[in-house]
Amino acid sequence: MTVKHLSVEYDKVNERGTFSPGDTLSGKVTVVTSKEIKVQSLVVKAKGKAKVSWCEQEGQATVIHSNKKKYFNFEHIILQDKKKGDGSEIISPGRNVYPFNFVIPDTDMPSSYKGRWGTITYSLRAQLTQSVWLVQKTKTEFPFLTKSEFPFASKSEMIIIGLKEQQHATRITFYGSGRITMNVTSEKMGLKQGEAMGISVEVINGSARTVTPKFYLCEKQTFVAQSKRMVHTNDIFCGTGDSVPAETSRTVTKILSIPPQLPPTFFNCCMMKLEYRLKVTLAAPLIRDPEIKLPLVILLGSPKPLQQKPKRSIWFRKLPG
């Protein structure tokens, strides 16, 4: 092969290495050849798109539901022959570097995301065409972050205001002649990636069984295509609290930490959305576990400084109970 190497790279604009609407995306295409070659064209493209796809069995037939949306699709011609197909452009032997830049549209677009049946991707593609039968391609994806501070709110101020409000729910369950009351309180509804908060669970166990609180972070992915909807859920186990013996009461406090790599909540894509819930269950032998779910919004966290000393402890406001 005459062309030994073809790559496309981008320059970082911040410490996250991410891009947002209105940013300039610049980089270079590198071509390494063993000798001089004639080419028809060398182009680089920048694309942003969302795509969903899944299969369903309807009777004896398998039906594919899919949809896609383009946010932008730009092309920058680096080299192109003067007459189509004559291969009049020349690339010298050795290493050749070609710069490029694009301005990302300053419009509301969702962040990069990869879910169970859908993806939101932003990419750079370079294509070197020597002839109809000799085409080489390369691709790289770049991380993209929406400019919207609240990509889940759908312009609802009530949701934004509720992010800092305390959440509370009660569940009463009867087992035989006994009654179990569970009161769950969380500090707030909105948490940033990597942030932690306290959860208080008051259990009044009037039954003859020992019960144990268990904590989960519930993820819900929703995909839409051709008026059809597909939902994927995933429960992330966060640990257990102290057991509450029969005929006793106890308040259990748990610190929930949001994994820093967990994708933030978003609604600003017409084909998919991502939601979370905080779930607390009471595990007991031979009975169905009662549960309480509280709304939880995961916000984009702040980038970590290059040098940061680890915190020795996490402090949070004392909860009732």
Side-chain angles (χ1 to χ4, degrees):
M1 295 276 300
T2 304
V3 178
K4 299 297 183 182
H5 174 79
L6 174 65
S7 66
V8 58
E9 303 171 77
Y10 59 86
D11 303 323
K12 293 183 179 181
V13 295
N14 54 46
E15 59 183 342
R16 282 182 181 270
T18 59
F19 294 84
S20 295
D23 286 346
T24 297
L25 174 63
S26 60
K28 62 185 179 181
V29 176
T30 303
V31 183
V32 179
T33 67
S34 59
K35 62 180 182 179
E36 181 181 284
I37 61 172
K38 294 182 177 181
V39 300
Q40 293 183 4
S41 65
L42 174 61
V43 300
V44 60
K45 297 180 179 180
K47 292 184 178 182
K49 66 178 182 179
K51 181 180 180 180
V52 298
S53 180
W54 71 87
C55 298
E56 285 185 335
Q57 200 69 29
E58 297 183 4
Q60 295 183 348
T62 300
V63 179
I64 298 176
H65 299 286
S66 64
N67 196 7
K68 61 182 178 180
K69 177 180 176 63
K70 287 184 180 180
Y71 296 107
F72 58 83
N73 185 6
F74 300 131
E75 180 179 89
H76 175 69
I77 299 175
I78 298 174
L79 297 172
Q80 187 171 30
D81 53 13
K82 296 175 179 63
K83 295 180 181 179
K84 291 185 177 180
D86 70 350
S88 59
E89 288 293 336
I90 302 297
I91 292 182
S92 303
R95 186 172 184 267
N96 300 268
V97 178
Y98 304 95
F100 64 86
N101 65 76
F102 299 97
V103 177
I104 300 174
D106 194 5
T107 58
D108 183 29
M109 294 178 285
S111 299
S112 302
Y113 177 69
K114 293 187 178 180
R116 180 66 177 83
W117 292 294
T119 59
I120 303 170
T121 57
Y122 298 85
S123 63
L124 286 167
R125 304 165 187 260
Q127 179 174 309
L128 176 64
T129 303
Q130 294 175 258
S131 68
V132 177
W133 301 278
L134 191 55
V135 179
Q136 298 190 58
K137 301 177 182 180
T138 186
K139 170 187 173 183
T140 186
E141 293 184 4
F142 58 91
F144 184 84
L145 284 180
T146 180
K147 252 187 177 179
S148 173
E149 185 179 2
F150 304 109
F152 49 82
S154 300
K155 299 180 180 179
S156 172
E157 293 185 0
M158 293 303 296
I159 296 180
I160 298 174
I161 293 172
L163 293 177
K164 297 181 180 181
E165 296 296 322
Q166 194 177 80
Q167 306 296 306
H168 180 80
T170 298
R171 175 73 181 264
I172 299 175
T173 307
F174 291 90
Y175 294 130
S177 59
R179 185 177 78 169
I180 299 178
T181 302
M182 176 170 58
N183 298 308
V184 178
T185 304
S186 65
E187 281 191 273
K188 53 188 176 180
M189 183 170 64
L191 274 179
K192 291 184 177 181
Q193 295 167 307
E195 191 178 359
M197 75 169 179
I199 306 164
S200 174
V201 181
E202 180 191 24
V203 180
I204 305 172
N205 187 5
S207 74
R209 301 179 184 276
T210 297
V211 295
T212 304
K214 291 187 176 182
F215 301 85
Y216 299 86
L217 183 60
C218 304
E219 178 187 35
K220 181 181 178 182
Q221 304 173 15
T222 304
F223 306 90
V224 179
Q226 301 166 353
S227 301
K228 296 285 186 177
R229 190 178 74 146
M230 182 67 79
V231 175
H232 173 71
T233 59
N234 179 40
D235 286 358
I236 303 171
F237 181 62
C238 299
T240 61
D242 295 334
S243 296
V244 182
E247 304 295 338
T248 62
S249 299
R250 177 174 292 175
T251 298
V252 179
T253 300
K254 176 73 176 178
I255 295 179
L256 173 68
S257 297
I258 302 300
Q261 72 280 5
L262 206 63
T265 302
F266 72 88
F267 289 174
N268 63 338
C269 177
C270 60
M271 294 182 296
M272 66 188 85
K273 63 181 179 179
L274 178 63
E275 303 169 87
Y276 294 96
R277 296 286 187 274
L278 166 66
K279 184 172 77 171
V280 181
T281 68
L282 284 181
L286 303 178
I287 59 176
R288 184 179 179 181
D289 300 346
E291 66 180 40
I292 285 178
K293 288 185 178 181
L294 293 176
L296 182 65
V297 174
I298 296 180
L299 306 168
L300 181 67
S302 302
K304 292 183 179 181
L306 296 179
Q307 293 182 350
Q308 183 182 31
K309 295 182 180 180
K311 295 181 180 180
R312 294 185 177 182
S313 62
I314 300 175
W315 295 89
F316 57 95
R317 187 173 67 253
K318 185 177 180 181
L319 300 174

